[in-house]
Amino acid sequence: MEYQLIEEIISRSHSNDWNSAKNEWSFEYVYQSEEKETCLCGHHPIINICVLKNSINNNETEVGNCCVNKFLGIDAGTKILASIKRLKDDLSKSMSSEVLEYLNKKKVLSDFDYKFYSDTIRKRKLSEKQLAIRERINQKLIDFTSYELNTNFSRINLVLKWAEDRSWFDTEFVLSLKKSCERKGKLTEAQHTALENIIKKLKIE
Ligand SMILES: [Zn+2]
């Protein structure tokens, strides 16, 4: 299994050497799949899935969180999943500060959200109003790691990757969908249809 994972990662990397190939990959997203998927290592089924991005050739790939920890030494997915589990049990709790930084880096939070959460992250007693704000921001984390949203992201990234060597294609609309996904945690029905139409019409695979 380990050998297969190494081979699959190298085939998507710039370098042919495992030690430098693995350093090309960084963490993008984690989500819990609603379908039983297969890891690059061949393990099936996997539910906790990380989306990784290659910094040199912009390839994206999905790998089981377990393998991402073990072989790529990336633990962001595990940390995010731990915060999600805590919040799903009790939405009034806080995500970890590392996860807050991650969400902010992904532009999911407004300046207000980020400042409010940072200032109150360790507080146990919040006013009713403050608690409502914390829960609203917690929900953003849950939405951002949802299966639906990550399916949208992977469809959007498919188009963007395809467009890389087709300079005639204007990516502005697709980039606006990506922004919308990040800010609102989802696409509207109309946006979703428009995206699928682009993929179908241009036969993007
Ligand atoms: Zn695996």
Side-chain angles (χ1 to χ4, degrees):
M1 281 198 168
E2 180 180 351
Y3 185 70
Q4 187 181 334
L5 179 87
I6 290 172
E7 215 168 53
E8 293 286 343
I9 292 281
I10 287 177
S11 75
R12 291 164 172 78
S13 303
H14 177 71
S15 172
N16 289 320
D17 168 66
W18 169 240
N19 279 318
S20 58
K22 71 177 174 188
N23 289 326
E24 296 172 14
W25 295 89
S26 65
F27 176 82
E28 283 282 301
Y29 309 109
V30 64
Y31 68 95
Q32 292 185 301
S33 180
E34 286 168 11
E35 284 167 24
K36 290 176 182 161
E37 298 193 30
T38 304
C39 183
L40 287 185
C41 73
H43 185 83
H44 176 89
I46 50 164
I47 295 198
N48 295 325
I49 295 162
C50 290
V51 180
L52 303 177
K53 188 168 183 174
N54 187 293
S55 58
I56 298 178
N57 59 23
N58 280 330
N59 277 339
E60 284 204 358
T61 191
E62 298 196 343
V63 183
N65 184 51
C66 171
C67 279
V68 170
N69 267 303
K70 237 159 101 186
F71 303 119
L72 290 150
I74 297 173
D75 64 357
T78 300
K79 286 176 176 165
I80 293 168
L81 290 169
S83 276
I84 290 169
K85 186 177 182 314
R86 187 163 70 237
L87 299 184
K88 280 188 172 167
D89 288 343
D90 182 353
L91 198 62
S92 72
K93 292 197 171 160
S94 292
M95 66 184 83
S96 74
S97 53
E98 273 173 294
V99 175
L100 180 70
E101 294 304 326
Y102 164 77
L103 272 191
N104 193 44
K105 211 178 87 197
K106 287 284 173 199
K107 302 188 174 70
V108 174
L109 305 177
S110 68
D111 293 344
F112 170 84
D113 288 350
Y114 178 66
K115 180 154 194 331
F116 172 86
Y117 212 102
S118 308
D119 290 346
T120 57
I121 195 161
R122 305 211 183 282
K123 278 196 182 158
R124 297 217 175 156
K125 295 245 178 272
L126 294 180
S127 72
E128 209 170 299
K129 201 177 156 195
Q130 288 173 322
L131 188 59
I133 297 171
R134 177 187 279 176
E135 291 185 351
R136 174 178 64 70
I137 299 170
N138 283 342
Q139 191 60 45
K140 284 192 172 183
L141 174 67
I142 294 172
D143 291 344
F144 192 65
T145 52
S146 74
Y147 178 58
E148 187 198 344
L149 184 67
N150 280 279
T151 306
N152 287 332
F153 273 136
S154 65
R155 301 297 276 168
I156 289 168
N157 288 331
L158 176 74
V159 178
L160 293 175
K161 173 82 187 152
W162 172 90
E164 268 176 14
D165 42 4
R166 291 173 177 85
S167 56
W168 53 268
F169 181 80
D170 185 358
T171 55
E172 193 183 335
F173 174 69
V174 179
L175 286 171
S176 79
L177 293 182
K178 191 170 191 175
K179 229 174 236 169
S180 175
C181 263
E182 285 164 352
R183 295 231 179 97
K184 296 183 188 123
K186 62 185 167 205
L187 291 179
T188 65
E189 201 55 47
Q191 285 175 321
H192 187 257
T193 307
L195 177 63
E196 289 305 321
N197 281 343
I198 291 171
I199 293 172
K200 206 169 141 194
K201 207 173 136 198
L202 297 169
K203 300 191 174 72
I204 302 172
E205 275 168 357

